[in-house]
């Protein structure tokens, strides 16, 4: 048998259920691997050795009595913006470096109820702002495929931890691409569900109308297993959808015969890197061999997605982050002269530079006299983008394209140029503006580095995305490729 840490969540579940492995064996194997790899990769901010070992022993005992829930004793890890009762939740920020939430996020409690064990909390760009994980107060995360490169962001810790087999499953969030882009750059599978499919309760807010929790794993099958646990209505989030959760694993093996894959012209124009194009063509060949057909579609306003997103997201962030004032919770500056000094220095010292940039942009865009020119205009563009997707998806079952313009870039390469960094999200932000589900899955390597293809579906079409990706993963081995020596 291969090493325990090589197994997917589905394989671990099977081995645990069959009695071939115990939870203590599984949990210890992953914790040992985290201990040996984390000093270099920096994927975890907090490692929960004690709690995880105790939970594993309890799970084995419950299983022996025949009283264990379905996922009892299986390990996972949470992006460090999901609040966890008793374990600190930093959001990658000095502002929350010592913050311990008094409750669990909805996603965290759902996982716990199913029996999953948390191995710890995963590194991320501060307040989920970034595309490279270089904005974390806790330091950059390294890409397991090449330690000189970024793993993507903001869920870079989640993606790197799965890619390096430090956990089989990780939670993540996606406001403009933060699940899909790091999944693509690390050779993992990632799904951003439909807005409202997964409750945001206990998820530290960045841009509330765009934020959505989801998962990163090795396979579409593992995501289907996990999504079934975290999806569903939660009255504590007023935007949570009151819609039944299907069994996502039940449709994984549906045939793709007769399915129509839409190819947005704007994703395949002359700007697409030729190597990325070849990689996408290889994936499309497999779709066709499985009986799917393709149709050309258009997303006319996609070029406006980045500028509109980088008005709306900072506007919402500037409002959400006003709560970090040094008074109620979070970092507080020492010896303030007066109240204004307390606010100014707590925020000045607690936030990093990208977060400050977003607060400034957002406050400007929302201010009297500029609101109509920026925020309102951006919302109008958002509506047009939503209509483009509705129109395109009326002609096909799923939209297909690259997840990122290129493979993982070198650490430091884009930090001095925020606009170059923002353009990294060119294929991903529009999905959030439209509130639709999107997944990124492994495509062929390009010069030894992972590339990812993206599938976007209609609202609540997560099952169709996972089905299509699972079929590709059944027919190819791209999802099994791993960094040399790891
Ligand atoms: N890279 C995008 C940003 O910096 C998206 C981040 C995200 O999805 N959380 O805003």
């Amino acid at each position: 048998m291969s090493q325990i840490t090589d197994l997917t969540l589905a394989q671990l579940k099977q081995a645990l259920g069959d009695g071939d492995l115990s939870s203590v064996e599984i949990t210890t194997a992953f914790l040992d691997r985290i201990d040996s790899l984390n000093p270099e990769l920096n994927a975890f901010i907090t490692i929960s050795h004690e709690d995880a070992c105790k939970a594993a022993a309890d799970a084995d005992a419950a299983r022996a009595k025949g009283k264990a829930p379905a996922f009892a004793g299986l390990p996972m890890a949470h992006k460090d913006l999901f609040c966890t009762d008793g374990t600190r939740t930093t959001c990658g920020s000095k502002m929350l470096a010592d913050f311990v939430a008094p409750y669990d996020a909805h996603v965290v409690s759902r996982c716990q109820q199913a029996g999953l064990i948390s191995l710890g909390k995963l590194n991320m760009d501060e307040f989920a702002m970034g595309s490279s994980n270089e904005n974390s107060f806790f330091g950059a995360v390294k890409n397991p495929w090449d330690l000189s490169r970024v793993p993507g962001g903001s869920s870079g810790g989640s993606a790197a931890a799965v890619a390096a087999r430090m956990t089989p499953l990780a939670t993540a969030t996606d406001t403009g691409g933060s699940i899909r882009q790091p999944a693509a750059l690390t050779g993992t599978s990632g799904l951003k569900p439909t807005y409202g499919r997964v409750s945001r309760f206990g998820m530290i807010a960045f841009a509330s109308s765009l934020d959505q929790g989801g998962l990163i794993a090795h396979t579409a099958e593992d995501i289907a297993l996990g999504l079934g646990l975290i999806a569903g209505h939660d009255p504590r989030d007023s935007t949570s959808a009151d819609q039944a959760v299907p069994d996502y694993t039940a449709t994984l093996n549906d045939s793709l015969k007769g399915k129509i894959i839409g190819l947005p012209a704007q994703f395949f124009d002359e700007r697409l890197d030729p190597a990325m194009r070849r990689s996408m063509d290889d994936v499309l060949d497999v779709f066709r061999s499985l009986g799917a057909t393709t149709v050309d579609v258009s997303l006319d306003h996609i070029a406006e997605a980045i500028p509109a997103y980088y008005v709306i997201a900072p506007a919402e962030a500037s409002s959400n982050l006003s709560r970090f004032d040094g008074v109620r919770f979070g970092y507080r500056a020492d010896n303030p002269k007066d109240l204004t000094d307390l606010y100014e220095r707590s925020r000045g010292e607690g936030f990093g530079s990208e977060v400050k940039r977003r607060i400034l942009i957002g406050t400007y865009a929302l201010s009297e006299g500029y609101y109509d020119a920026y925020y309102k205009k951006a919302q109008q563009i958002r509506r047009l983008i939503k209509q483009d997707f509705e129109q395109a998806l009326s002609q096909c079952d799923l939209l297909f394209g690259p997840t990122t313009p290129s493979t993982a870039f070198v650490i430091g390469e884009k930090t001095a140029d925020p606009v170059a960094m923002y353009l990294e999200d060119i294929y991903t932000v529009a999905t959030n503006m439209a509130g639709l589900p999107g997944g990124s899955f492994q495509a062929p390597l390009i010069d030894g580095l992972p590339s990812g293809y993206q599938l976007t579906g209609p609202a609540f079409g997560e099952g169709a995305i996972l089905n299509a990706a699972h079929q590709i993963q059944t027919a190819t081995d791209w999802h099994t490729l791993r960094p040399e020596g790891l």
Side-chain angles (χ1 to χ4, degrees):
M1 199 163 111
S2 46
Q3 272 194 47
I4 291 175
T5 50
D6 288 343
L7 302 176
T8 64
L9 186 75
Q11 290 166 335
L12 289 165
K13 186 166 180 282
Q14 179 83 38
L16 202 50
D18 291 349
D20 294 339
L21 289 173
S22 71
S23 175
V24 168
E25 284 172 313
I26 294 172
T27 307
T28 317
F30 280 101
L31 285 170
D32 287 350
R33 194 161 166 91
I34 294 170
D35 287 340
S36 78
L37 297 179
N38 202 55
E40 187 127 61
L41 295 174
N42 200 26
F44 278 79
I45 292 176
T46 304
I47 307 170
S48 303
H49 292 102
E50 248 171 69
D51 290 348
C53 289
K54 180 172 181 312
D58 290 349
D60 284 336
R63 219 171 255 279
K65 288 195 202 122
K67 283 202 198 130
F71 289 76
L74 289 163
M76 70 174 306
H78 292 292
K79 182 173 180 177
D80 208 11
L81 58 50
F82 288 96
C83 286
T84 43
D85 189 358
T87 304
R88 71 176 173 160
T89 301
T90 70
C91 220
S93 182
K94 179 177 178 184
M95 187 56 96
L96 292 174
D98 302 314
F99 173 64
V100 180
Y103 55 82
D104 284 324
H106 181 77
V107 163
V108 171
S109 48
R110 281 289 187 87
C111 291
Q112 227 165 45
Q113 283 155 15
L116 284 154
I117 293 174
S118 172
L119 298 170
K121 304 294 291 288
L122 295 159
N123 206 342
M124 54 180 283
D125 280 307
E126 185 177 5
F127 284 97
M129 299 175 188
S131 311
S132 68
N133 222 302
E134 293 165 290
N135 296 338
S136 169
F137 173 66
F138 299 89
V141 177
K142 311 258 171 66
N143 190 322
W145 288 82
D146 176 345
L147 299 180
S148 71
R149 291 175 192 271
V150 305
S154 64
S155 311
S158 305
V162 172
R165 289 163 162 80
M166 297 154 98
T167 179
L169 179 72
T171 53
T173 60
D174 192 312
T175 304
S178 280
I179 292 178
R180 291 159 287 154
Q181 186 254 13
L185 300 194
T186 58
T188 52
S189 295
L191 181 79
K192 176 205 102 71
T194 310
Y195 184 76
R197 177 72 295 185
V198 174
S199 167
R200 290 181 294 112
F201 178 81
M203 217 174 94
I204 295 173
F206 162 13
S208 309
S209 77
L210 301 160
D211 295 344
Q212 185 57 207
L215 297 165
I216 294 181
H218 296 296
T219 61
E221 181 186 21
D222 284 0
I223 291 179
L225 286 169
L227 185 62
L229 305 178
I230 64 171
H233 185 236
D234 173 16
R236 297 171 299 182
D237 170 3
S238 62
T239 59
S240 158
D242 196 356
Q243 180 140 340
V245 179
D247 177 356
Y248 296 108
T249 60
T251 44
L252 288 174
N253 287 312
D254 287 0
S255 164
L256 296 187
K257 272 204 186 71
K259 295 277 184 240
I260 305 172
I261 308 282
L263 307 178
Q266 295 78 2
F267 288 2
F268 290 95
D269 64 15
E270 68 292 340
R271 284 168 299 183
L272 180 60
D273 174 67
M276 188 59 80
R277 184 177 189 113
R278 279 196 294 281
S279 165
M280 294 303 109
D281 284 342
D282 286 351
V283 181
L284 284 173
D285 284 346
V286 183
F287 269 121
R288 292 191 185 102
S289 75
L290 294 170
T293 55
T294 57
V295 61
D296 291 333
V297 296
S298 179
L299 297 169
D300 289 342
H301 301 88
I302 205 87
E304 277 70 55
I306 291 264
Y309 169 86
Y310 277 98
V311 169
I312 293 170
E316 293 184 16
S318 72
S319 160
N320 275 326
L321 270 56
S322 64
R323 68 183 61 141
F324 301 104
D325 56 6
V327 176
R328 285 167 290 185
F329 42 67
Y331 177 80
R332 174 177 297 179
D334 284 337
N335 305 319
K337 288 204 300 289
D338 52 29
L339 190 60
T340 307
D341 187 44
L342 170 72
Y343 290 152
E344 285 181 359
R345 283 203 293 117
S346 296
R347 287 169 71 80
E349 293 163 18
F351 288 135
S353 57
E354 182 61 26
V355 173
K356 287 179 190 158
R357 181 181 295 123
R358 306 273 180 121
I359 292 173
L360 288 173
I361 296 172
T363 307
Y364 183 84
L366 289 177
S367 55
E368 172 92 42
Y370 293 108
Y371 178 89
D372 284 349
Y374 295 107
Y375 189 72
K376 196 166 157 212
K377 195 86 195 157
Q379 290 288 25
Q380 287 165 341
I381 293 171
R382 181 175 188 172
R383 165 51 61 107
L384 293 173
I385 289 172
K386 202 165 175 331
Q387 286 168 353
D388 284 352
F389 274 100
E390 278 162 15
Q391 167 69 20
L393 282 162
S394 70
Q395 301 164 62
C396 61
D397 295 294
L398 293 170
L399 297 172
F400 174 94
T403 309
T404 58
S406 59
T407 56
F409 49 93
V410 170
I411 293 176
E413 190 182 316
K414 296 188 201 239
T415 35
D417 183 353
V419 175
M421 191 71 92
Y422 298 168
L423 287 172
E424 186 56 25
D425 307 325
I426 194 144
Y427 299 121
T428 51
V429 291
T431 316
N432 301 69
M433 309 265 271
L436 298 174
S440 177
F441 304 93
Q442 300 91 335
L445 299 185
I446 298 174
D447 294 332
L449 290 172
S451 72
Y453 68 91
Q454 180 174 213
L455 294 171
T456 309
F460 302 100
E462 288 81 3
I465 293 176
L466 294 170
N467 164 224
H470 180 70
Q471 290 305 301
I472 297 283
Q473 292 180 343
T474 306
T476 63
D477 68 354
W478 299 320
H479 63 291
T480 66
L481 302 177
R482 49 194 295 180
E484 214 169 301
L486 272 186

